[in-house]
Amino acid sequence: MCIRDSLSIVDLAMAGGPVMIPIAFLLVVAIFIYFERYLTIRKAAKSDPKFMLNIRDYISGGNVDAAKMLCKNTDTPIARMIEKGIIRLGTPLKNIEVAVENVGKLELYKMEKNLSALAMIAGVGPMLGFLGTVTGMISAFYTISVSDQISPKVLSGGIYEALVTTVAGLIVGIVANVAYNSLVAMVEKMIYKMEATTVEFVDLLQEPA
């Protein structure tokens, strides 16, 4: 084995052995899920500050069709929730609330898509890293056991190669965990906006004509 003063990332990755392949795959998947969900949730969170003001004006003025059209032309979860509520106008208020909440749950489900996979990667990544370390250590000590001469170079070289997978697994776990929690924070912020809008819409319907 050739000992160098420094090793590149590629050298370290190659030293980790076959288990580095699934670890690298999980890293790529985690990054893809993060950016795909980030863009999706960010798009869903964008809203026109005048949207509810216009809805209020249309409903107060009895122009329900205009309110429906505004909702159809606004591609956000909140607009789809309000549209469902407008469609249910004329039914008991409780039915309207339930209809709006059901649409909100569906929209929330869409936003949380693949977040569970990201959480799983955060847990599986380090475990794969430790698995690679254990198998690498077994291999290193087996080589030492069948060798006639035991040298510090052979021992330390085998150990550092085994520990590479631990580092790689921890990196994947940290990246996935940070990505997951940042996305959850975005979703929770969106939930608050959806709930606040629902309350505002229900209050609007209860205002005296």
Side-chain angles (χ1 to χ4, degrees):
M1 180 179 62
C2 179
I3 303 297
R4 305 176 187 174
D5 293 333
S6 62
L7 289 173
S8 68
I9 295 178
V10 175
D11 291 332
L12 287 173
M14 294 297 292
V19 77
M20 291 294 290
I21 296 175
I23 291 176
F25 174 75
L26 290 180
L27 178 61
V28 172
V29 172
I31 293 173
F32 172 79
I33 291 175
Y34 172 73
F35 282 105
E36 188 272 333
R37 287 293 89 195
Y38 174 80
L39 294 175
T40 299
I41 298 171
R42 185 179 178 183
K43 180 181 177 182
K46 286 185 177 180
S47 60
D48 183 356
K50 296 182 179 180
F51 174 76
M52 284 306 297
L53 292 176
N54 292 330
I55 292 294
R56 177 181 293 273
D57 290 340
Y58 289 141
I59 293 180
S60 298
N63 196 350
V64 176
D65 290 336
K68 288 181 182 178
M69 186 59 63
L70 177 60
C71 292
K72 286 184 179 295
N73 294 333
T74 306
D75 186 20
T76 63
I78 289 177
R80 287 186 281 274
M81 290 168 58
I82 300 303
E83 181 183 9
K84 179 61 70 172
I86 294 173
I87 292 173
R88 291 287 188 273
L89 288 178
T91 62
L93 185 61
K94 184 62 178 179
N95 292 348
I96 296 176
E97 288 185 53
V98 171
V100 172
E101 290 174 359
N102 287 340
V103 173
K105 290 177 182 178
L106 291 174
E107 294 295 333
L108 179 60
Y109 176 78
K110 293 177 184 178
M111 285 188 287
E112 291 180 335
K113 180 183 177 183
N114 291 330
L115 288 190
S116 58
L118 199 57
M120 182 185 68
I121 291 174
V124 172
M127 292 176 67
L128 278 175
F130 290 132
L131 174 63
T133 297
V134 172
T135 56
M137 292 291 286
I138 292 173
S139 177
F141 281 111
Y142 174 76
T143 301
I144 293 172
S145 68
V146 298
S147 177
D148 294 332
Q149 295 181 346
I150 301 176
S151 67
K153 283 187 177 181
V154 173
L155 181 60
S156 62
I159 292 175
Y160 96 76
E161 289 180 0
L163 291 176
V164 167
T165 58
T166 299
V167 175
L170 289 174
I171 290 174
V172 172
I174 291 170
V175 169
N177 192 52
V178 171
Y180 172 78
N181 284 288
S182 64
L183 291 175
V184 167
M186 292 177 67
V187 171
E188 289 179 349
K189 184 177 180 181
M190 188 62 193
I191 290 174
Y192 173 78
K193 291 176 63 177
M194 292 165 68
E195 290 177 345
T197 304
T198 300
V199 171
E200 183 180 356
F201 180 69
V202 172
D203 288 343
L204 169 62
L205 298 182
Q206 296 183 87
E207 291 180 357

